[in-house]
């Protein structure tokens, strides 16, 4: 398997997945974005500006931390945590928004839009827009507005406008639909910061590249801390930006298992989940071809997950390609196991993971049984769990 600068291909396909399935109105905007990115990604000045912002504004590099008590709990190998929860705004999303806001600035765009599920991408987008004094609009499903009220208020404090979306399942899919409608209407002055490795080309490529700083750091940190590559990297997968950022620099290192964990909801067998790589079929959603949850006539199914950030019926095209080639493994963890892991990690390590990240931790009971005592497993802690306290308290029957 060989990965190079020509992948995806010139039409934005990773094997059979990706592409640009959008209205003609958006083709010019996508071509403009691709041209701008291709020019700037090899510019020393742009690269220096991006990494300087990651260092001085975001606080990178994030640590790779040995979770000693969690490791002892399983008794087989070392569990290391890539602490993206320590980034400014509390998640990995800021890496991508810092990069894309620089693209928007170079393109002369004055208005920023974004979709958000768990709210972390909305907060990150509002943060970088505030920093540059740009008008910002965030689309969010009304179901997610309710369960992520803390992040909604953070977005408003940052000066952005929150647009609740009550169509469909009122979650991330529907927020993305509305953001695309806005972009079609206001394409001349508006930059759309997509928050994951989804959507039409070149977004999956751009988001992956900006967030691959995570995996680049892991290569260096692994050598420094245990003098070899990790045996496995585990990350939750919704749209897939957090996992792809960690996976991408390791794709050619075939001694490293890449394990993506989807939201199993109430259970794969019930159909009430958000796990298209485990229980979906290829189709087109939001401008790209990938695995998605759809019925026999191609209508997108509703999803079910305790985590707003994984509550999405599709997935990034590069993940679809990694699944088909067998380079990455994709599993599902249900709501109950994610909640168990949320409490376990919080009590054992004093680190409260986001419910999205808790799905990755929820797979450790299975994974650690497969590995020896000298193994090193990295869990990508995509975000912190402060935003989920109301949801967890409600499930636990606690009134705040």
């Amino acid at each position: 398997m060989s990965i190079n600068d020509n992948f995806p291909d010139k039409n934005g396909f990773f094997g059979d997945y990706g592409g640009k399935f959008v209205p003609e109105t958006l083709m010019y905007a996508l071509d403009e974005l691709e041209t701008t990115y291709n020019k700037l990604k090899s510019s020393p000045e742009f690269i220096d500006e991006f990494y300087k912002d990651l260092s001085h504004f975001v606080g990178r590099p994030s640590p790779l931390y040995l979770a000693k008590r969690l490791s002892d709990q399983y008794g087989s190998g070392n569990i290391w945590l890539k602490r993206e929860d320590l980034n400014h705004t509390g998640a990995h999303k800021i890496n991508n928004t810092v990069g894309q806001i620089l693209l928007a600035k170079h393109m002369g765009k004055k208005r920023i839009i974004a979709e958000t599920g768990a709210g972390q991408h909305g907060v990150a987008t509002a943060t970088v827009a505030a920093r540059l004094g740009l008008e910002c609009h965030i689309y969010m499903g009304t179901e997610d507005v309710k369960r992520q009220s803390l992040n909604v208020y953070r977005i408003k404090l940052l000066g952005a406008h929150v647009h609740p979306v009550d169509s469909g399942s009122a979650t991330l899919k529907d927020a993305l639909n509305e953001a695309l409608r806005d972009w079609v209407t206001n394409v001349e002055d508006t930059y759309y910061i997509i928050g994951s490795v989804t959507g039409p080309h070149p977004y999956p490529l751009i988001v992956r590249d900006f967030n691959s700083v995570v995996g680049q750091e892991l290569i260096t940190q692994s050598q420094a801390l245990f003098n070899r590559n990790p045996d496995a990297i585990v990350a939750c997968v919704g749209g897939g930006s957090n996992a792809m950022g960690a996976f991408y620099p390791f794709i050619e290192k075939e001694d490293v298992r890449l394990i993506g964990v989807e939201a199993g909801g109430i259970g794969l067998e019930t159909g009430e989940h958000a796990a298209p790589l485990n229980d979906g079929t290829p189709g087109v959603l939001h401008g790209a071809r990938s695995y998605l949850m759809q019925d026999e006539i191609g209508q997108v199914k509703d999803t079910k997950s305790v985590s707003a950030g994984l509550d999405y019926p599709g997935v990034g095209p590069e993940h679809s390609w990694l699944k088909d080639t067998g380079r990455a493994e994709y599993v599902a963890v249900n709501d109950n196991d994610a909640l168990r892991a949320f409490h376990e990690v919080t009590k054992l390590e004093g680190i409260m993971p986001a419910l999205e990240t808790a799905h990755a931790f929820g797979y450790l009971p299975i994974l650690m049984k497969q590995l020896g005592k000298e193994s090193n497993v990295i869990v990508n802690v995509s975000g912190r769990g402060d935003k989920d306290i109301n949801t967890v308290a409600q499930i636990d029957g606690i009134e705040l």
Side-chain angles (χ1 to χ4, degrees), residues 30-233:
L30 291 171
D31 289 344
E32 179 189 25
L33 174 58
E34 185 176 4
T35 300
T36 302
Y37 179 64
N38 286 338
K39 176 183 176 182
L40 292 176
K41 72 178 182 180
S42 57
S43 161
E45 292 78 16
F46 180 82
I47 294 170
D48 181 65
E49 186 177 16
F50 173 60
Y51 280 102
K52 187 175 292 183
D53 279 355
L54 289 182
S55 172
H56 296 172
F57 187 64
V58 177
R60 302 205 69 88
S62 65
L64 183 60
Y65 171 78
L66 178 60
K68 184 68 168 61
R69 294 192 69 210
L70 190 63
S71 300
D72 291 344
Q73 172 88 349
Y74 290 103
S76 57
N78 300 308
I79 299 170
W80 300 82
L81 310 184
K82 182 56 171 166
R83 298 292 307 278
E84 294 301 288
D85 57 310
L86 295 180
N87 292 341
H88 179 43
T89 72
H92 73 286
K93 293 292 188 181
I94 192 71
N95 304 323
N96 169 52
T97 57
V98 162
Q100 288 203 57
I101 204 75
L102 293 178
L103 291 178
K105 183 175 76 170
H106 280 271
M107 294 170 71
K109 304 295 185 181
K110 302 298 183 185
R111 183 175 180 271
I112 304 298
I113 62 173
E115 86 296 329
T116 194
Q120 288 301 133
H121 177 59
V123 169
T125 300
T127 296
V128 294
R131 188 177 179 220
L132 294 184
L134 300 176
E135 180 184 348
C136 184
H137 297 264
I138 306 296
Y139 290 88
M140 193 171 188
T142 53
E143 182 66 26
D144 294 337
V145 168
K146 287 186 289 185
R147 57 182 170 177
Q148 298 294 334
S149 58
L150 176 61
N151 273 343
V152 172
Y153 187 48
R154 289 174 73 190
I155 292 167
K156 291 178 178 178
L157 285 173
L158 288 159
H161 305 273
V162 177
H163 300 272
V165 178
D166 58 11
S167 59
S169 59
T171 55
L172 181 56
K173 165 180 67 72
D174 312 290
L176 209 153
N177 287 339
E178 289 303 316
L180 283 169
R181 290 189 183 99
D182 183 318
W183 196 26
V184 169
T185 306
N186 302 288
V187 70
E188 291 299 325
D189 69 340
T190 296
Y191 186 101
Y192 180 13
I193 299 184
I194 288 184
S196 197
V197 287
T198 53
H201 180 69
Y203 279 108
L205 165 69
I206 288 173
V207 177
R208 178 201 72 192
D209 286 356
F210 285 140
N211 201 43
S212 66
V213 64
V214 177
Q216 293 164 15
E217 290 175 3
L218 283 177
I219 290 175
T220 302
Q221 291 170 327
S222 297
Q223 293 299 324
L225 291 169
F226 44 88
N227 200 34
R228 60 187 177 89
N229 288 331
D231 294 277
I233 300 173

Side-chain angles (χ1 to χ4, degrees), residues 287-310:
R289 188 173 190 270
S290 67
Y291 277 91
L292 61 103
M293 293 171 57
Q294 58 185 334
D295 62 22
E296 61 278 2
I297 60 171
Q299 294 300 302
V300 177
K301 293 180 180 179
D302 287 342
T303 52
K304 175 74 174 178
S305 175
V306 70
S307 60
L310 302 184

